[in-house]
Amino acid sequence: MKVSLASRRAGEKRRKRAKEHEQHKAKHKRRRKKHKAVHHPAKLTKPHGTVGVALPIAPASPPTPSPAPAPSVGSPPITLAQARRLLWRAGFGPTAGQAEALVGQPLEQVVFSLTRPSGPATLTGPEPVEEQGQPLDPYDVWGDDHCWWLDRMVRSDQPLVERMTFILHDWFANSNEKVNSQRMMLEQNELFRSMCFGSFHDLFLAVTGNPAMLVFLDGIYNEKHNPNENYAREMMELFSLGADRGAYTQEDVKEMARVLTGWTAEWSANEGLHEFEFDTARHDKTEKTLSAAFGTSGNPIKGNWDWEDAVRLCVEHPLHASFFVTKLWGYFIPSPPDEATLASLQSLYTSSGYSIRAVLEAILQHPDFYEGPELVTPPVVYNAGLLRAIGRPIDTNAWAWISANAGQQLFYPPNVSGWDFGAWLDTSTTRARWEMASAVTSKTYANPWPQTGEAKYSETEEPSAALASAMSYWGEPLLSSESAQCIARFSETCPAGTSKTKWELSPYRAMRQNALRMLIATSPDMQVS
């Protein structure tokens, strides 16, 4: 009896998933024997933003919250430089003419247009496809998940929603390397998107019971007879309180692990892990004790808590507000908030019911956002920004591996502490950015050697006109005087600017145009905002 190719593949897939599940259980058993949770270095200790500028770290002794409003630029007419910085940091760069159209509008109004979108997002332009023109399959094809999300970054009319989803993916970093389910990762992605402006408490609660997180930090293997500390540690160190601040002790990690016991999931060869639920029979119902750091009386606190209490205890912790404010601030501004700003934002956060939007709006209107140092653009943001600038849709799934070469593949952060934002620019990733820019421009390449019947590039284009054309191609980015002078000098001194031989005129000018586009795209000014 012949077995169809589809049947063979289905059988192979079932066997593979069963083997992966056995390997996953064996790996977990080895971890339990060690009786020690995996402890990842905190992301907060790593450099971020402009080279040499560290991601702000919440102080061990933050200022007392203050009801005074945080400093704000107010609502003056927004300038072009401010509009471009806002669109790059609170989104993925402007489309052609978008920044210019905002000039003169009240700055507060522009910020609110990003933070207070109405209704579902509209995706403008062609649907994403792979090289052969077939629709993407983000649930099952490697790299299509990355390109599906990149498409939303390129086409959505709610860019800050996607940028916050991107930030939360780093904040609560899970990798499909371990989760092994693109569907689970995409469902978590939608969770971030739907809750990115709401209550951090509610978001934290949803993330704690999210299947991808339960798999990634072994929540489904945390039960009363064998408490697993992985999520307990990271929910405090990376997600809500911060390391080395006196916010919790190792005993708190052990006790919080007991608080979090009870989650479980079913397994089948066809569906993999599914039916995630909280099973009270697996939960430790005895009293737990947390250190005095969690209270306000100076004494340890005790209770028969469950997983929802774990989230509440972290969010109500005296050091949580300063951690939240400082961490969110660091994704938008590389210099730390001053004491008065931190005091004001802490008060705003707690008085607003842990509102993400409230703090975000204050950050996006703070003078440091517009006047402070530049922030290095992450690879995925850079990729999306270049595509948006020239209006190119997602027409290949090559962006997944190209972005990975630059240091960032969506749904695959290196560990639970997320990406190292200080590693975006080195000899390897800078070359990858060049390759990314080259790939972006490849379909609008000025052909030096057209076929018979195809139009030839101009034989008479002068250096200044060539530069103006290249700048227009990228939507008139703002370049420093040093970059502008350097690129203009190249336009004048390269062979196209000096050659007089007839056969060279058109080809050399086409090659000059391509080179100018690349020099602009890879200039220092295009790597930062």
Side-chain angles (χ1 to χ4, degrees), residues 43-44 65 109 116 175-176 243 248-249 253 306 338 369 427 435 440 490:
K43 177 187 167 186
L44 297 181
Q109 176 183 311
R116 304 180 185 186
S175 172
N176 197 42
Y248 63 93
T249 67
V253 174
D306 65 11
D338 60 52
F369 183 90
T427 53
E435 293 169 344
V440 168
F490 168 83

Side-chain angles (χ1 to χ4, degrees), residues 272-465:
L273 288 167
H274 63 287
E275 298 295 330
F276 292 82
E277 62 180 8
F278 185 76
D279 182 356
T280 56
R282 289 166 54 88
H283 175 61
D284 184 338
K285 300 181 182 67
T286 60
E287 188 175 72
K288 297 91 177 176
T289 301
L290 294 175
S291 69
F294 280 83
T296 56
S297 66
N299 298 313
I301 60 173
K302 298 181 179 182
N304 183 10
W305 302 304
D306 65 11
W307 69 279
E308 292 182 330
D309 293 311
V311 172
R312 176 184 57 79
L313 288 164
C314 286
V315 173
E316 292 178 354
H317 191 291
L319 290 179
H320 167 67
S322 58
F323 171 88
F324 172 84
V325 166
T326 307
K327 184 160 184 173
L328 184 62
W329 174 282
Y331 283 108
F332 296 95
I333 304 172
S335 56
D338 60 52
E339 191 169 281
T341 294
L342 181 55
S344 295
L345 293 181
Q346 288 180 81
S347 180
L348 174 63
Y349 176 57
T350 54
S351 65
S352 65
Y354 309 111
S355 169
I356 300 171
R357 177 188 278 118
V359 178
L360 181 59
E361 288 182 344
I363 291 172
L364 297 183
Q365 296 178 78
H366 197 280
D368 288 359
F369 183 90
Y370 300 98
E371 301 164 10
E374 294 172 322
L375 197 64
V376 174
T377 303
V380 169
V381 178
Y382 178 67
N383 193 175
L386 295 183
L387 292 168
R388 284 171 58 81
I390 68 170
R392 179 177 171 179
I394 303 301
D395 50 19
T396 174
N397 52 13
W399 300 122
W401 63 262
I402 291 173
S403 187
N405 288 347
Q408 189 172 51
Q409 182 178 350
L410 297 171
F411 304 107
Y412 289 88
N415 53 54
V416 71
S417 49
W419 283 283
D420 180 356
F421 278 55
W424 295 144
L425 297 177
D426 58 29
T427 53
S428 175
T429 56
T430 299
R431 175 181 174 178
R433 287 184 183 233
W434 177 277
E435 293 169 344
M436 184 181 286
S438 179
V440 168
T441 62
S442 62
K443 292 202 171 184
T444 47
Y445 186 72
N447 188 359
W449 315 107
Q451 300 294 319
T452 303
E454 293 180 352
K456 291 169 49 177
Y457 197 83
S458 169
E459 295 183 348
T460 59
E461 186 178 63
E462 294 297 323
S464 59

Side-chain angles (χ1 to χ4, degrees), residues 31 34-46 217-218 228-238 242-244 248-250 253 415-417:
R31 283 179 178 168
K34 293 179 181 178
H35 294 287
K36 185 177 180 181
V38 177
H39 182 197
H40 301 286
K43 177 187 167 186
L44 297 181
T45 64
K46 297 185 177 182
L217 286 179
D218 302 316
N228 183 294
E229 298 175 10
N230 283 356
Y231 187 72
R233 183 182 303 279
E234 308 306 0
M235 80 178 301
M236 293 186 285
E237 179 179 328
L238 297 174
D244 304 321
Y248 63 93
T249 67
Q250 177 56 32
V253 174
N415 53 54
V416 71
S417 49

Side-chain angles (χ1 to χ4, degrees), residues 10 13-18 267-274:
K13 188 173 183 179
R14 285 194 296 272
R15 288 191 292 275
K16 179 182 178 184
R17 298 189 76 169
W267 167 271
S268 70
N270 288 328
E271 298 181 69
L273 288 167
H274 63 287

Side-chain angles (χ1 to χ4, degrees), residues 475-489:
E476 306 296 340
L478 297 178
L479 301 182
S480 67
S481 58
E482 295 85 355
S483 292
Q485 291 170 10
C486 181
I487 296 172
R489 186 161 57 250

Side-chain angles (χ1 to χ4, degrees), residues 173-191:
N174 290 178
S175 172
N176 197 42
E177 190 70 34
K178 178 176 178 180
V179 175
N180 196 33
S181 170
Q182 290 178 208
R183 184 172 295 276
M184 280 191 211
M185 295 298 294
L186 288 165
E187 288 171 353
Q188 184 186 72
N189 181 261
E190 183 53 37
L191 184 157

